Amino acid sequence: MSTHRVPAEREGTRDDLSRHGRPLRTAGAQQSATVANPVPGANPDLLPHFLVEPEDVYIVKNKPVLLVCKAVPATQIFFKCNGEWVRQVDHVIERSTDGSSGLPTMEVRINVSRQQVEKVFGLEEYWCQCVAWSSSGTTKSQKAYIRIAYLRKNFEQEPLAKEVSLEQGIVLPCRPPEGIPPAEVEWLRNEDLVDPSLDPNVYITREHSLVVRQARLADTANYTCVAKNIVARRRSASAAVIVYVNGGWSTWTEWSVCSASCGRGWQKRSRSCTNPAPLNGGAFCEGQNVQKTACATLCPVDGSWSPWSKWSACGLDCTHWRSRECSDPAPRNGGEECQGADLDTRNCTTDLCVHTASGPEDVALYVGLIAVAVCLVLLLLVLILVYCRKKEGLDSDVADSSILTSGFQPVSIKPSKADNPHLLTIQPDLSTTTTTYQGSLCPRQDGPSPKFQLTNGHLLSPLGGGRHTLHHSSPTSEAEEFVSRLSTQNYFRSLPRGTSNMTYGTFNFLGGRLMIPNTGISLLIPPDAIPRGKIYEIYLTLHKPEDVRLPLAGCQTLLSPIVSCGPPGVLLTRPVILAMDHCGEPSPDSWSLRLKKQSCEGSWEDVLHLGEEAPSHLYYCQLEASACYVFTEQLGRFALVGEALSVAAAKRLKLLLFAPVACTSLEYNIRVYCLHDTHDALKEVVQLEKQLGGQLIQEPRVLHFKDSYHNLRLSIHDVPSSLWQSKLLVSYQEIPFYHIWNGTQQYLHCTFTLERVSPSTSDLACKLWVWQVEGDGQSFNINFNITKDTRFAELLALESEGGVPALVGPSAFKIPFLIRQKIISSLDPPCNRGADWRTLAQKLHLDSHLSFFASKPSPTAMILNLWEARHFPNGNLSQLAAAVAGLGQPDAGLFTVSEAEC
């Protein structure tokens, strides 16, 4: 379309423009924009008037715009754009007659292209108007302005991520891109439109900034500024707003009961970081969560009699009396009253009393009393003699450490029936005064053969019904009494006061075993580790890391539980073996592993650097994939510590998902635990969830957490929005690296809260991801019914490990005593054919410790002790029998035991 100028036509005046470049369209602007030019003498009623006038319009992209004019009465209508007439051929004309007046009506349309507007772009605005003719004159319409619409891509200012505390104000600025027409701005919160009319806590300023008056947890989200006009819609970069909550202490609990019922003790109180609990990276509470203080309880004082008073004068009834009082001291603080009478009366002789001579009856009475007294004296002498003889049969040399202040009763073992031919009597050591132990060490053997070979699997089977447990660990009263005795010593004041993480027993030269159930922690006391003639009361304790101050330097981290065995300072003639789990991925190129031991003064020392052990050292360690076995000749408190040598060093974390067994509200919490991959940490979490009423909802997974300084992240995905709504307002939760790596907290957890749309909703399907940034990760596919699905509930059922926590004597070992002695005597001496203890170590894959075994008086005993520690109670004795029998000893009789010996 082209235009040409018609000089004869008079141009109309330009309308006033608004400050934005648009024509002002007020109520009277429509008529004022129309200009009439009547012909002199003509009828003014027949001047054209417009039914439709051109309107302002925007060109979007390259699409032309349409302008329309319609007038009545009109004989001609032409458009004029920017002062130039549009060619007639570019007009589309429609003529008609007005039905009511019969006057001619004319409608004209033209198209305006982007190229036409761009020719004058920057010089002036492009406008068009139409002029209508009739026989009475001409009329001009209002001007219509045509502009090219656009919206630039880049925001002049975008919102930035923020971390704010609860109830703090939030201001997110946004300046939209330049555009015509100017862009409208709206805000999205997690892709949902923010409507200030529905939430009085937020509003949008004239400068398009989003303001949150007081931050709430629900305001944690990703915010996006959106600018739009008729051309395009632009989105700013999302700004993550995290509303964090700093942890606050709860109120202190009441002080506990004094630990000592009499005298000086201690009491404690605790508080938790739950008021509120830290959330979304908020700071943890500062200070201690437990306070301890000394306390003193008044001891009960039993009453005691004062001395008797003097005898009173003899009365008329030939009696006199004397008295005493329960006042030396008087009973107080609940002490017992004095026993006996406070008044004593007896016959007396005075001038007023007449006494007759004693008759035959009195003589007989006196003789009878004398005879009874003599019998009582003889009976007392017999009892003293029997007691002394029994005293000689007991071991008088009992371990007397500072913590074993009250004696224990020697264990009395009933012998098996005399008619049982399969009894083994271990003859007492004649050089000492220990008791004789009798018990069945060989199982019954059917058949006439007087001997049986070691290679038969049942020869190494555990002891049968003839086993005797010399000491059981645990009526609660006994354990509490034992703990109270330990707590009187400075070194043991940090021992756990509960009995679930502690066990103890009484042992002699026969040895035994202590175990803390479901923790993987045990102490093996081999035979002859305790000198003959000695009896020790030994304990084994598991500590919580937060209760023991273990100093860690540099990149060190705690890899095992902290375990105490004692009492320290007792004499041992053989190494005992302490077994405990660890969570490190052992690699000599990634870790420097050290065994730490706490001295009696409380300081921690490195007593062993794994990989650099000296054979004659007091400590030695067999490190396996998930457990370590520490040989030690000194009891004390131990912990395995690792120092990362590279970013490839990794700790094993076990991931557990728990949820409520019963859900009575719309909210449903999924708790994700990240804990050390050790049995003791698992036991603590399972016990905690039992108290909370939780159940396992997925099989546990293991994640390798590396020393890369990257945090651990957790997120939930694919939650069906029609049934559930996630109340997590950020894309993920995060656990800081140091909270995991320092090892002082055995487990950490995050909670994902979901809300059901309806109480009838019971099926849940979603995905939960746990990963270390730039490291290992695990994905859980959750798909179960929250009301009746319990298929994972039994996976973590805690079971007792090998029966009672304390086993003494042969019952603590899988290898029968006589067979053990025959193996030791046969394999300790060197053999030219190689059928000695070295070959046994190779068969059991222990050949890397040959120098350590060789440094001991009996290498075979060390090998068998380590086998017992690693394989109790579920070890395969048949495999051990096959390994021993396959050594190629020339005399097969070395591995036989006759029935006479049993």
Side-chain angles (χ1 to χ4, degrees):
M1 183 186 71
S2 61
T3 60
H4 64 281
R5 180 172 297 276
V6 180
E9 181 62 33
R10 186 179 59 183
E11 297 180 5
T13 60
R14 172 173 293 187
D15 296 335
D16 294 334
L17 301 177
S18 69
R19 58 178 176 172
H20 295 295
R22 295 189 181 91
L24 295 175
R25 296 292 189 237
T26 60
Q30 185 73 15
Q31 296 300 324
S32 64
T34 303
V35 180
N37 294 314
V39 176
N43 185 1
D45 293 335
L46 297 179
L47 282 173
H49 65 275
F50 289 95
L51 302 177
V52 177
E53 293 187 77
E55 299 286 342
D56 293 347
V57 68
Y58 293 92
I59 296 177
V60 178
K61 297 184 179 178
N62 292 320
K63 297 179 180 179
V65 296
L66 179 67
L67 299 180
V68 180
C69 272
K70 186 176 182 180
V72 62
T75 57
Q76 287 188 27
I77 297 178
F78 285 94
F79 272 89
K80 180 189 289 185
C81 294
N82 277 55
E84 295 183 0
W85 293 100
V86 178
R87 295 187 308 171
Q88 185 173 1
V89 296
D90 295 329
H91 291 72
V92 177
I93 301 173
E94 289 183 10
R95 299 179 185 274
S96 60
T97 302
D98 185 66
S100 60
S101 63
L103 296 176
T105 302
M106 192 173 184
E107 180 177 333
V108 178
R109 296 185 297 274
I110 65 170
N111 286 322
V112 180
S113 66
R114 182 187 183 99
Q115 290 78 6
Q116 291 175 269
V117 178
E118 287 178 341
K119 286 181 180 181
V120 296
F121 185 79
L123 301 176
E124 59 181 340
E125 290 191 286
Y126 194 94
W127 57 267
C128 292
Q129 69 177 167
C130 54
V131 181
W133 280 269
S134 70
S135 58
S136 298
T138 63
T139 304
K140 293 181 181 179
S141 71
Q142 66 181 3
K143 291 182 179 180
Y145 289 88
I146 300 93
R147 299 179 178 88
I148 299 175
Y150 68 93
L151 183 62
R152 300 195 184 280
K153 293 183 178 180
N154 297 326
F155 281 72
E156 295 182 6
Q157 185 178 8
E158 292 184 298
L160 300 177
K162 291 179 179 290
E163 291 185 3
V164 297
S165 62
L166 196 66
E167 298 184 354
Q168 181 181 341
I170 305 173
V171 178
L172 296 177
C174 176
R175 293 172 59 190
E178 179 185 356
I180 294 178
E184 299 177 355
V185 173
E186 62 185 17
W187 284 87
L188 300 180
R189 177 166 51 199
N190 286 345
E191 303 305 318
D192 293 331
L193 181 65
V194 177
D195 190 352
S197 64
L198 301 178
D199 188 356
N201 193 45
V202 301
Y203 67 92
I204 300 175
T205 66
R206 292 182 178 180
E207 293 77 24
H208 310 300
S209 298
L210 179 66
V211 178
V212 180
R213 291 183 173 89
Q214 287 186 326
R216 305 157 298 189
L217 288 177
D219 294 321
T220 299
N222 293 319
Y223 289 85
T224 307
C225 180
V226 178
K228 62 180 179 178
N229 63 9
I230 61 175
V231 178
R233 175 186 173 97
R234 310 291 188 203
R235 292 168 57 98
S236 70
S238 295
V241 174
I242 297 177
V243 181
Y244 60 85
V245 179
N246 292 327
W249 289 113
S250 64
T251 57
W252 289 102
T253 61
E254 296 294 330
W255 287 103
S256 64
V257 179
C258 191
S259 61
S261 60
C262 173
R264 186 175 180 83
W266 59 268
Q267 58 184 161
K268 68 177 181 178
R269 65 177 182 174
S270 61
R271 59 181 178 175
S272 59
C273 189
T274 56
N275 188 32
L279 191 64
N280 296 336
F284 281 78
C285 302
E286 295 183 358
Q288 296 181 345
N289 63 337
V290 176
Q291 282 186 348
K292 293 184 178 180
T293 185
C295 59
T297 305
L298 295 177
C299 295
V301 177
D302 296 335
S304 182
W305 291 111
S306 64
W308 288 102
S309 65
K310 293 183 179 180
W311 289 101
S312 66
C314 194
L316 296 176
D317 55 353
C318 294
T319 63
H320 62 170
W321 56 270
R322 61 178 181 175
S323 65
R324 57 180 179 177
E325 294 180 350
C326 188
S327 59
D328 190 23
R332 62 179 182 270
N333 303 330
E336 294 183 356
E337 294 287 340
C338 300
Q339 302 295 321
D342 58 351
L343 187 66
D344 184 20
T345 304
R346 70 179 183 181
N347 294 330
C348 61
T349 301
T350 65
D351 296 339
L352 299 178
C353 296
V354 178
H355 297 274
T356 60
S358 299
E361 295 83 359
D362 294 333
V363 174
L365 175 62
Y366 293 148
V367 172
L369 292 175
I370 294 173
V372 170
V374 171
C375 291
L376 291 176
V377 171
L378 292 176
L379 179 61
L380 179 61
L381 291 176
V382 171
L383 291 176
I384 293 174
L385 181 61
V386 171
Y387 174 78
C388 292
R389 289 180 177 271
K390 286 189 175 181
K391 185 70 175 178
E392 292 176 357
L394 298 176
D395 187 355
S396 59
D397 191 2
V398 179
D400 183 18
S401 69
S402 60
I403 68 167
L404 303 179
T405 55
S406 61
F408 55 87
Q409 287 72 30
V411 180
S412 177
I413 304 173
K414 296 181 180 180
S416 301
K417 295 181 178 180
D419 57 353
N420 186 355
H422 302 283
L423 291 179
L424 170 63
T425 299
I426 301 177
Q427 297 298 331
D429 187 351
L430 299 180
S431 64
T432 64
T433 58
T434 57
T435 59
T436 299
Y437 172 83
Q438 285 186 328
S440 176
L441 286 181
C442 295
R444 192 177 188 90
Q445 189 74 340
D446 296 328
S449 175
K451 288 178 175 275
F452 41 88
Q453 295 295 325
L454 179 65
T455 53
N456 294 335
H458 55 269
L459 292 183
L460 292 180
S461 62
L463 299 178
R467 295 197 299 184
H468 298 285
T469 300
L470 299 186
H471 197 286
H472 192 288
S473 76
S474 246
T476 303
S477 60
E478 291 185 21
E480 290 176 352
E481 178 187 356
F482 183 67
V483 172
S484 67
R485 281 186 280 137
L486 294 180
S487 63
T488 60
Q489 303 301 315
N490 291 333
Y491 179 68
F492 299 102
R493 283 180 180 168
S494 60
L495 287 177
R497 272 31 180 198
T499 58
S500 63
N501 287 333
M502 179 180 182
T503 182
Y504 69 97
T506 304
F507 301 90
N508 59 9
F509 73 97
L510 294 174
R513 184 188 306 266
L514 289 174
M515 294 177 293
I516 302 178
N518 305 303
T519 62
I521 299 171
S522 65
L523 180 69
L524 179 74
I525 306 168
D528 292 323
I530 297 175
R532 291 176 180 258
K534 299 283 186 180
I535 299 177
Y536 294 158
E537 191 174 21
I538 297 179
Y539 64 85
L540 181 65
T541 303
L542 167 64
H543 301 271
K544 292 184 178 180
E546 58 266 25
D547 294 338
V548 179
R549 292 186 177 181
L550 174 62
L552 299 175
C555 299
Q556 289 184 341
T557 179
L558 181 64
L559 297 178
S560 74
I562 301 175
V563 181
S564 292
C565 55
V570 297
L571 175 64
L572 297 174
T573 58
R574 301 283 190 276
V576 298
I577 301 178
L578 175 64
M580 55 187 177
D581 290 347
H582 69 83
C583 63
E585 280 295 304
S587 171
D589 299 329
S590 303
W591 286 105
S592 173
L593 301 177
R594 300 175 185 272
L595 181 69
K596 284 182 175 288
K597 181 176 182 289
Q598 190 176 26
S599 65
C600 293
E601 291 78 17
S603 61
W604 287 86
E605 303 171 349
D606 292 339
V607 296
L608 182 63
H609 187 181
L610 273 67
E612 300 180 5
E613 304 95 334
S616 59
H617 204 278
L618 291 175
Y619 308 94
Y620 198 83
C621 183
Q622 157 74 4
L623 185 68
E624 298 187 354
S626 59
C628 59
Y629 301 89
V630 179
F631 292 80
T632 176
E633 297 181 22
Q634 294 183 355
L635 303 182
R637 183 173 296 165
F638 297 93
L640 183 66
V641 171
E643 182 174 5
L645 301 179
S646 69
V647 294
K651 296 174 67 172
R652 295 189 316 277
L653 299 183
K654 179 156 287 188
L655 307 177
L656 302 175
L657 271 60
F658 281 91
V661 174
C663 183
T664 58
S665 65
L666 293 179
E667 286 191 355
Y668 189 73
N669 294 323
I670 298 178
R671 294 181 289 274
V672 185
Y673 289 87
C674 307
L675 57 141
H676 289 174
D677 187 17
T678 57
H679 285 85
D680 60 296
L682 179 62
K683 174 184 177 181
E684 186 170 357
V685 169
V686 172
Q687 291 177 341
L688 173 64
E689 278 297 326
K690 283 186 176 180
Q691 298 175 1
L692 296 177
Q695 66 170 339
L696 188 71
I697 62 173
Q698 281 286 301
E699 291 188 13
R701 304 280 182 84
V702 174
L703 181 141
H704 294 84
F705 190 79
K706 293 186 177 181
D707 182 21
S708 61
Y709 298 97
H710 289 298
N711 298 339
L712 189 71
R713 291 182 178 177
L714 305 93
S715 62
I716 192 167
H717 304 272
D718 300 341
V719 179
S721 57
S722 60
L723 301 175
W724 296 84
Q725 182 179 1
S726 173
K727 304 193 76 173
L728 180 68
L729 300 178
V730 291
S731 55
Y732 56 83
Q733 298 190 60
E734 198 165 47
I735 300 177
F737 169 81
Y738 288 103
H739 290 179
I740 299 175
W741 194 256
N742 60 18
T744 57
Q745 301 183 53
Q746 286 186 302
Y747 66 88
L748 299 159
H749 84 278
C750 290
T751 300
F752 291 92
T753 302
L754 304 178
E755 186 174 11
R756 293 186 284 180
V757 175
S758 168
S760 62
T761 301
S762 58
D763 291 326
L764 175 61
C766 61
K767 290 183 179 180
L768 198 147
W769 294 348
V770 183
W771 77 100
Q772 185 182 17
V773 179
E774 299 184 10
D776 191 18
Q778 289 288 358
S779 173
F780 293 88
N781 292 319
I782 301 173
N783 189 355
F784 75 112
N785 187 295
I786 67 173
T787 59
K788 56 186 178 182
D789 197 339
T790 59
R791 63 181 183 272
F792 300 104
E794 302 301 324
L795 288 180
L796 296 183
L798 296 180
E799 299 178 357
S800 179
E801 297 175 342
V804 295
L807 295 173
V808 182
S811 64
F813 305 97
K814 292 186 68 66
I815 306 174
F817 183 79
L818 280 187
I819 295 178
R820 170 189 170 92
Q821 295 303 106
K822 279 185 170 288
I823 295 174
I824 292 173
S825 61
S826 301
L827 299 184
D828 273 351
C831 179
N832 295 331
R833 299 185 180 183
D836 57 11
W837 62 269
R838 294 175 179 82
T839 308
L840 179 62
Q842 292 175 356
K843 286 181 174 291
L844 298 179
H845 307 290
L846 300 175
D847 47 324
S848 60
H849 309 304
L850 293 180
S851 58
F852 169 71
F853 296 146
S855 67
K856 302 303 176 184
S858 174
T860 308
M862 292 295 102
I863 296 173
L864 297 181
N865 294 341
L866 181 56
W867 187 92
E868 290 276 7
R870 294 169 66 192
H871 296 92
F872 189 89
N874 301 317
N876 191 332
L877 281 169
S878 299
Q879 292 182 358
L880 178 63
V884 174
L887 294 180
Q889 282 281 353
D891 184 4
L894 291 174
F895 302 102
T896 61
V897 180
S898 66
E899 292 199 16
E901 291 177 298
C902 286

